Amino acid sequence: MNITASELKTWLLQYGQLLIEQTEYLTKLDSAIGDADHGVNMQRGATAMRQTLTETTKTAPSELLEEVAEAVLEGIGGAAGPLYASLFFGMAGAVDGETSVTPQQLGDALQAGVDSLAARGRAERGDKTMFDAAGPAIEAFRQTLDAGDDLNTAIEAAESAANLGRDETAPMQARKGRASYLGPRSVGHIDPGATSVALLFEALTELSGTENS
Amino acid sequence: MIGIVIVSHSLALAEAAHDFASTMAPNSSLKVEIAAGDAQGELGTSATKIASAIKRAASGDGVWVVVDLGSALLNSEMAVDLAGASNYEIVVSASSLVEGLTAAMATAARGASLTEVELEACRASNLQQLSLPETPQPDVWSGWDDAAALETTARIVDKNGLHARPSARLAQAVASFDAQVRIRNSSRSGPFVDASSITNLMTLGASAGDVMTIESCGRQAQETLDQLRDLLSDGTNPAESNPEQELIGVSSGVAVGPVVRANRSRTDWMHATYEALSVSEEQDRFNAALEAVKEELLHLAALTRATTGDSEALIIDSARNILDDFQLLNPVRNEIQTGTSALQAWVVEVSSLLARVESLPEPYQRQRATDIRDLRDRVAAELAGVPASLEDLKSGIIVAAELSAADVAQLDPKSCLGIATTHGSRTSHASILARSLSIPAIVGVSAETIEALIGRTVLLDASASEIIVDPTDEQIEQRTLVNESNSLTEHEDQAASEQKVASHPVTTSDGLAISVGANVALPDQAVEARAAGADSVGLLRTEFMFANWAEAPSADQHYQAYADIANKLDGRPLTIRTFDSANDKPISFLGGNLSEGPRGLQLSLAYPRVLGDQLSAIARLSFETPVRLLFPYVTNAREITEVKNLLVKVAKTHTSSSVLDSLKLGAMIEAPGAVLDIKAIAEEVDFLSIGTNDLSSEMFGLDRRDPGAYSTLSAFDPAVLRLLKIVATEREELPISVCGELANEQDAVPLLIGLGIDQLSVRPSKVSLVKDEVTRWAKSEATDLATKALELRNGEQVRDLVQQVRANRGLEAILEREKIVEETD
């Protein structure tokens, strides 16, 4: 019923897989409004993260998440590196001392991670950033659980909220990061950061069925 | 003192910003570290690199971090998190890189707190934005009722004008009343601005004496106006009403002598008769004048580089670069083309530039005006054919309204007993030079006093900041005595602080002894070298002590100069290098400026009488105190044989032993060709010394006088390191030292140790840093690093490698510490 380090590993390995598959797409998005490096950076980060995940001996969720944070920090590099590292460090802090977590605790941890991401980037909703996908996703996840639904339903809700949030960045004008230098010209393009973070929630579907097993 | 970290996507950008800002904090012991590039060494930033830079810069007073853009901020904040709890505070600055860093270094150098530094940095960044003409003004005048408005005027009393702090007080006052207020600078016919905005107030450009017109409407209009008028007329720093300014001694010592006015009045050229010739002749005259002044500054920069250091020399280099600026020169040339005389065209154009610079809001920005005025006068004097320098002064105490650094550098210390000027400060470049030349100097002497002093005999006591006219013998005796005992106490103080720095020899962490000596050009620096904990003087550049001499010094004069320095070293070895005349530091009695032909030892050998006097003095000293003799720019073994014969001939041996038994001889390896002949050279000498500056600039065909082309990075190049490696391998057991700029670089220290260098000779100010770095590496680790560096492609990669290795060690230390914390938990 509970989620252990091993399930988190599965989730993040899948996330890495998705990032590597989507490298070209992310590059294309970033070349429209950024410096065309998000795809390559995320791919490099994914490789570093997957290597950490295959070699790690950690069994506590918080320790595993800390290792992932360290791997993506320099692995991704650029501005996204510290942002993703903040997300995972934030999650790690929330599950400190636990050997496994309930879906509610996972929700709390994701919330802590997203909070820490937003704080690091000083991002608000509507700034056309990663937070525009991550914010709605974690809200949907927790609201679904609070309503009494199971983990599978919560994951589905988070995934579709993240995708919706991602798509809604298109009409926004960027107010943070490199894209903000473009001003009104950033309008009309999906934000690459929001896209890569939506994949993180898409990868959560790997955990579907955990509860039933 | 706080530490500073520069975080940038680009190393070149960070270094340039640092160099630029360093001119605001010359000679300070500020610790500034750079974290640039991402983990892969490409454009970007890295949290672990930043964390390790913070650690290197750390002091109990805190660390101030300035960033360029985007991820630099995110990674810096991440680095602060990674660093975890520490016993010092870290501030990631909100200021912008160039403006913030410049203000921060100037503020931090005087020992300001972390908070104060951040405040100044932010203020400087904001001011920069404000001075843009396009700054949009918000439209606040809707609802303004002209008919109901009350009006008053007030004159600014604060001598600094309406700067940031009074502006803030004014804006606060406005906000506390129920009234709308607008204000304009009537003295400058400026527009009305909203008085409740600090930023608007600062755009008034209100200087002391300017009259402000203030209008107000609203319920408390009258009260507001009364209060504002009081605030403006009641500055906390009222302008000096007392013409007697405060005298400030900017160096130490006592001088007695007649007062002599510095010959060159800054406006001499204005009174000179100047007859304009044809347009093309005027263009030629202008070009010739520019060239002559550039030549003069070039010489001065070389002197400054040797006496005070690179960042000081850079001020003069950058002044010289202004004379290459087409933005300035083209309008002048166009004007000459229309028939205006070269003198008039030049003076009008530069004066208008000067006016713009002088109206800049901050004092340190305005300081640039001194340089520009100096350039204007130098070129104008050259054009008008009037003397531009202070060469023909009678012996005495020199007085002037203002002396530029160039003026002081050109003074003959033999005839200039003391200096008194109206303008200047302790930190002005001229004062720094006066200190290193040991000339007692006082600034703040009013123009009236200077006029009254001319021709009188005075006692100038720089230590006590006092000038006594017609002193009695008693006064002279007493002041001189006090001064001597003071300087003794100073020496004792120095001796005490010497204990604190690494005054003992250092070894690598695995016990290999590395001697760290100091490079010295003037007697004062010997004291500095000893105080800094140098194990020896690894290089005495003799050419600078005699740079302005028309005739070569006699053997006795040589001896006195070197004995004086040796006395200051308390028995530490003194390495004396014979004259090295080169393009950037010509010696008149060795043939002046040589663009072609031999230099170094080869040149000196062509003047056997000049060289013989120098050798005999050094030989004489070597019987009394530990001295080593070094020959510059040796190109082959034959030169050494030749100079040895001369040495034996001129040395007056008092005992039966030969001078070659008591005097160790060394060759400087600076010519790339000499490396190929190193075995033969090594057989002739007792030690080797490598000059990496000339070695690298000659290898790559770079002109060291061109700050744009030459940088220390060239000396990091693997090709240079390979040459060092050859010398170290073929040296036949001889001790080997490096005395170029490279040795001053923290990042170069492990590389040099790894290549087998035994001794480093650096600027006095760098001794403790370099000693500290030596102790941080094991010889084996340094050797591995050097081996890897030899395989790289360019200097940048080499430096990145060293920084990467250091950053990894920093990360390991962080993880290690976390592990310990975990285990204790």
Side-chain angles (χ1 to χ4, degrees):
Chain A
M1 161 113 187
N2 275 5
I3 298 150
T4 66
S6 153
E7 275 87 42
L8 293 178
K9 221 187 268 186
T10 315
W11 164 43
L12 293 169
L13 281 171
Q14 173 61 16
Y15 176 45
Q17 181 63 37
L18 291 176
L19 285 174
I20 289 168
E21 284 168 11
Q22 299 296 325
T23 302
E24 245 173 82
Y25 179 57
L26 291 173
T27 303
K28 201 180 118 216
L29 291 179
D30 199 30
S31 58
I33 58 170
D35 44 7
D37 65 356
H38 192 59
V40 178
N41 287 351
M42 291 310 294
Q43 183 192 38
R44 204 174 50 207
T47 312
M49 179 174 70
R50 296 215 301 183
Q51 190 181 345
T52 302
L53 289 170
T54 35
E55 288 171 4
T56 186
T57 53
K58 303 286 183 203
T59 50
S62 71
E63 289 178 357
L64 180 83
L65 288 164
E66 263 175 30
E67 281 201 342
V68 169
E70 277 162 24
V72 298
L73 173 60
E74 304 270 289
I76 299 175
L83 291 170
Y84 272 105
S86 297
L87 191 153
F88 291 122
F89 273 131
M91 286 189 74
V95 295
D96 199 18
E98 308 287 344
T99 48
S100 65
V101 294
T102 63
Q104 276 74 18
Q105 282 176 313
L106 178 63
D108 293 345
L110 280 168
Q111 182 72 60
V114 172
D115 287 349
S116 143
L117 160 80
R120 177 71 70 215
R122 292 184 180 78
E124 284 173 27
R125 292 284 185 85
D127 282 350
K128 197 176 181 105
T129 70
M130 287 159 66
F131 187 43
D132 287 315
I138 181 57
E139 264 170 33
F141 185 87
R142 298 178 81 196
Q143 276 167 10
T144 314
L145 287 180
D146 287 347
D149 287 319
D150 66 359
L151 180 63
N152 290 357
T153 321
I155 289 173
E156 269 170 40
E159 188 196 354
S160 63
N163 289 343
L164 186 64
R166 171 199 67 200
D167 295 342
E168 278 176 355
T169 60
M172 294 174 185
Q173 178 173 331
R175 287 197 291 254
K176 289 281 180 311
R178 183 91 53 146
S180 64
Y181 299 161
L182 292 178
R185 278 185 292 141
S186 64
V187 173
H189 301 276
I190 289 177
D191 182 60
T195 309
S196 68
V197 93
L199 296 177
L200 181 69
F201 287 93
E202 185 183 329
L204 269 181
T205 50
E206 284 295 304
L207 297 189
S208 300
T210 306
E211 254 181 326
N212 307 333
S213 64
Chain B
M1 196 173 277
I2 65 155
I4 289 181
V5 172
I6 305 168
V7 178
S8 168
H9 283 59
S10 143
L11 181 63
L13 181 63
E15 283 181 335
H18 178 221
D19 283 351
F20 177 72
S22 292
T23 59
M24 299 308 301
N27 277 352
S28 83
S29 51
L30 259 186
K31 221 178 213 180
V32 182
E33 295 290 342
I34 290 176
D38 66 14
Q40 287 76 33
E42 285 163 24
L43 289 184
T45 55
S46 143
T48 44
K49 272 193 184 178
I50 299 167
S52 97
I54 288 177
K55 237 175 129 195
R56 291 200 303 274
S59 88
D61 295 323
V63 181
W64 184 80
V65 184
V66 66
V67 305
D68 57 2
L69 50 83
S71 68
L73 176 63
L74 295 177
N75 272 318
S76 297
E77 290 176 341
M78 197 77 218
V80 174
D81 287 357
L82 284 179
S86 53
N87 53 355
Y88 49 87
E89 203 188 331
I90 307 166
V91 164
V92 179
S93 178
S95 69
S96 46
L97 179 60
V98 177
E99 295 86 351
L101 181 65
T102 308
M105 285 189 65
T107 316
R110 58 169 168 81
S113 72
L114 192 57
T115 320
E116 208 179 329
V117 168
E118 171 65 0
L119 206 69
E120 286 301 314
C122 290
R123 201 151 78 78
S125 305
N126 289 336
L127 278 177
Q128 190 60 29
Q129 287 162 8
L130 292 179
S131 56
L132 294 173
E134 297 83 2
T135 306
Q137 300 286 332
D139 181 20
V140 293
W141 308 123
S142 55
W144 177 268
D145 183 358
D146 239 352
L150 304 175
E151 186 194 294
T152 189
T153 57
R155 191 180 288 274
I156 305 281
V157 195
D158 193 314
K159 69 170 181 215
N160 294 326
L162 194 59
H163 55 94
R165 277 180 293 271
S167 296
R169 278 200 300 274
L170 206 68
Q172 248 168 21
V174 171
S176 68
F177 289 105
D178 177 12
Q180 249 187 315
V181 184
R182 61 183 203 172
I183 182 169
R184 66 186 282 257
N185 187 342
S186 351
S187 299
R188 301 193 180 194
S189 315
F192 272 110
V193 300
D194 178 4
S196 65
S197 150
I198 304 175
T199 51
N200 278 346
L201 287 173
M202 289 170 70
T203 61
L204 290 170
S207 308
D210 283 357
V211 175
M212 302 294 123
T213 302
I214 315 167
E215 291 186 359
S216 177
C217 64
R219 195 172 62 81
Q220 292 182 301
Q222 191 57 53
E223 292 97 308
T224 317
L225 286 183
D226 290 345
Q227 167 108 32
L228 294 190
R229 201 180 43 227
D230 287 353
L231 270 176
L232 286 173
S233 321
D234 176 33
T236 46
N237 298 307
E240 308 268 349
S241 55
N242 186 357
E244 204 58 44
Q245 285 165 283
E246 196 190 347
L247 300 187
I248 304 166
V250 293
S251 65
S252 56
V254 169
V256 183
V259 172
V260 183
R261 190 205 293 276
N263 257 341
R264 172 168 67 99
S265 148
R266 300 218 153 255
T267 50
D268 262 359
W269 51 266
M270 286 188 189
H271 309 298
T273 345
Y274 185 86
E275 278 181 46
L277 306 172
S278 72
V279 166
S280 69
E281 278 165 311
E282 284 299 290
Q283 295 286 20
D284 290 347
R285 269 170 139 181
F286 180 55
N287 289 336
L290 285 178
E291 285 312 311
V293 172
K294 281 197 274 185
E295 182 82 6
E296 202 174 289
L297 294 175
L298 199 59
H299 179 97
L300 199 63
L303 171 73
T304 312
R305 183 163 282 120
T307 53
T308 7
D310 269 351
S311 54
E312 291 294 316
L314 204 67
I315 299 177
I316 296 176
D317 280 331
S318 67
R320 186 167 51 85
N321 286 345
I322 295 176
L323 295 183
D324 288 323
D325 189 344
F326 285 103
Q327 303 271 15
L328 175 66
L329 300 187
N330 283 348
V332 179
R333 294 198 166 114
N334 293 343
E335 189 60 33
I336 296 175
Q337 212 56 38
T338 66
T340 311
S341 78
L343 182 63
Q344 193 187 342
W346 167 253
V347 168
V348 168
E349 182 62 30
V350 182
S351 298
S352 104
L353 170 68
L354 205 53
R356 292 199 296 276
V357 172
E358 279 174 337
S359 68
L360 289 172
E362 283 295 288
Y364 60 76
Q365 296 172 317
R366 289 197 298 270
Q367 273 170 18
R368 294 292 300 167
T370 313
D371 293 343
I372 296 168
R373 193 179 300 110
D374 190 61
L375 287 177
R376 181 191 70 183
D377 294 344
R378 277 169 188 273
V379 174
E382 191 65 40
L383 280 169
V386 299
S389 60
L390 308 164
E391 273 158 33
D392 303 322
L393 283 175
K394 270 183 262 160
S395 174
I397 289 168
I398 312 296
V399 294
E402 181 183 28
L403 288 180
S404 69
D407 294 333
V408 176
Q410 283 169 343
L411 288 173
D412 179 356
K414 298 265 179 305
S415 62
C416 172
L417 305 175
I419 297 175
T421 62
T422 308
H423 304 292
S425 71
R426 217 188 134 69
T427 52
S428 71
H429 200 195
S431 300
I432 292 169
L433 276 180
R435 277 201 292 284
S436 65
L437 294 164
S438 301
I439 303 174
I442 289 184
V443 301
V445 188
S446 71
E448 294 88 339
T449 312
I450 285 191
E451 285 309 315
L453 289 179
I454 308 269
R456 311 281 289 271
T457 294
V458 304
L459 182 153
L460 182 145
D461 186 342
S463 313
S465 304
E466 253 182 281
I467 294 176
I468 301 171
V469 184
D470 297 330
T472 62
D473 288 350
E474 230 169 69
Q475 279 174 317
I476 294 174
E477 197 183 334
Q478 191 233 339
R479 292 289 175 142
T480 317
L481 265 175
V482 169
N483 184 59
E484 272 168 11
S485 72
N486 278 348
S487 66
L488 276 180
T489 341
E490 252 171 54
H491 281 204
E492 277 159 23
D493 286 351
Q494 260 160 1
S497 67
E498 208 170 305
Q499 296 299 320
K500 272 189 270 170
V501 280
S503 60
H504 51 82
V506 290
T507 68
T508 57
S509 63
D510 51 356
L512 176 73
I514 301 289
S515 163
V516 180
N519 297 340
V520 164
L522 293 170
D524 239 23
Q525 291 184 301
V527 180
E528 210 188 317
R530 202 197 63 180
D535 299 329
S536 65
V537 164
L539 172 64
L540 172 65
R541 301 178 159 118
T542 54
E543 54 276 8
F544 290 100
M545 282 182 277
F546 308 107
N548 290 333
W549 290 37
E551 298 283 324
S554 68
D556 271 345
Q557 285 168 325
H558 274 295
Y559 173 80
Q560 288 306 335
Y562 307 148
D564 178 32
I565 290 178
N567 283 339
K568 293 184 162 120
L569 293 177
D570 267 1
R572 289 169 184 78
L574 170 63
T575 311
I576 306 175
R577 185 178 70 184
T578 60
F579 291 136
D580 183 19
S581 184
N583 282 342
D584 62 340
K585 42 181 179 178
I587 301 172
S588 56
F589 49 82
L590 288 181
N593 199 357
L594 312 137
S595 47
E596 295 291 331
R599 53 169 288 191
L601 179 57
Q602 219 185 335
L603 175 67
S604 283
L605 283 168
Y607 293 79
R609 201 190 54 76
V610 175
L611 180 60
D613 283 344
Q614 189 171 32
L615 292 177
S616 91
I618 297 169
R620 182 176 155 200
L621 189 63
S622 74
F623 292 111
E624 299 160 14
T625 175
V627 167
R628 306 199 300 173
L629 174 56
L630 183 58
F631 302 114
Y633 205 82
V634 171
T635 57
N636 61 51
R638 208 185 53 249
E639 291 166 9
I640 309 271
T641 324
E642 218 177 305
V643 75
K644 268 185 181 170
N645 290 339
L646 182 63
L647 175 64
V648 171
K649 209 171 83 188
V650 298
K652 295 187 180 68
T653 313
H654 302 288
T655 63
S656 54
S657 66
S658 157
V659 64
L660 295 176
D661 295 332
S662 62
L663 190 54
K664 297 274 178 249
L665 307 187
M668 277 206 76
I669 308 301
E670 300 168 88
V675 177
L676 301 176
D677 199 21
I678 194 68
K679 266 214 154 97
I681 293 173
E683 276 171 21
E684 292 291 327
V685 294
D686 306 301
F687 68 98
L688 295 169
S689 181
I690 303 176
T692 48
N693 303 350
D694 277 316
L695 191 62
S696 55
S697 56
E698 294 219 354
M699 276 181 72
F700 303 119
L702 301 172
D703 187 346
R704 281 193 63 203
R705 293 168 293 175
D706 180 357
Y710 180 81
S711 83
T712 321
L713 204 55
S714 325
F716 274 95
D717 199 285
V720 176
L721 301 183
R722 266 174 235 133
L723 282 195
L724 296 189
K725 177 80 184 161
I726 294 174
V727 178
T729 316
E730 311 246 311
R731 62 169 136 171
E732 306 285 355
E733 305 290 308
L734 296 184
I736 173 170
S737 76
V738 166
C739 59
E741 276 295 312
L742 186 62
N744 291 299
E745 298 279 327
Q746 195 182 4
D747 289 337
V749 171
L751 292 171
L752 294 174
I753 295 174
L755 289 169
I757 307 297
D758 318 289
Q759 185 185 3
L760 305 170
S761 192
V762 302
R763 283 205 294 275
S765 59
K766 293 280 187 179
V767 168
S768 59
L769 175 85
V770 169
K771 280 196 163 186
D772 183 53
E773 187 66 17
V774 168
T775 62
R776 290 171 189 276
W777 297 84
K779 165 74 175 159
S780 53
E781 198 183 4
T783 309
D784 287 349
L785 185 70
T787 312
K788 276 187 206 144
L790 289 171
E791 301 300 320
L792 297 176
R793 306 188 81 99
N794 58 45
E796 202 164 15
Q797 288 181 352
V798 171
R799 183 137 68 177
D800 280 350
L801 170 72
V802 181
Q803 288 176 351
Q804 188 64 50
V805 169
R806 207 188 270 117
N808 287 344
R809 291 163 51 156
L811 186 63
E812 275 163 27
I814 292 171
L815 298 176
E816 190 62 31
R817 204 178 54 204
E818 283 176 357
K819 214 190 270 170
I820 294 168
V821 174
E822 267 173 32
E823 279 163 12
T824 21
D825 282 351

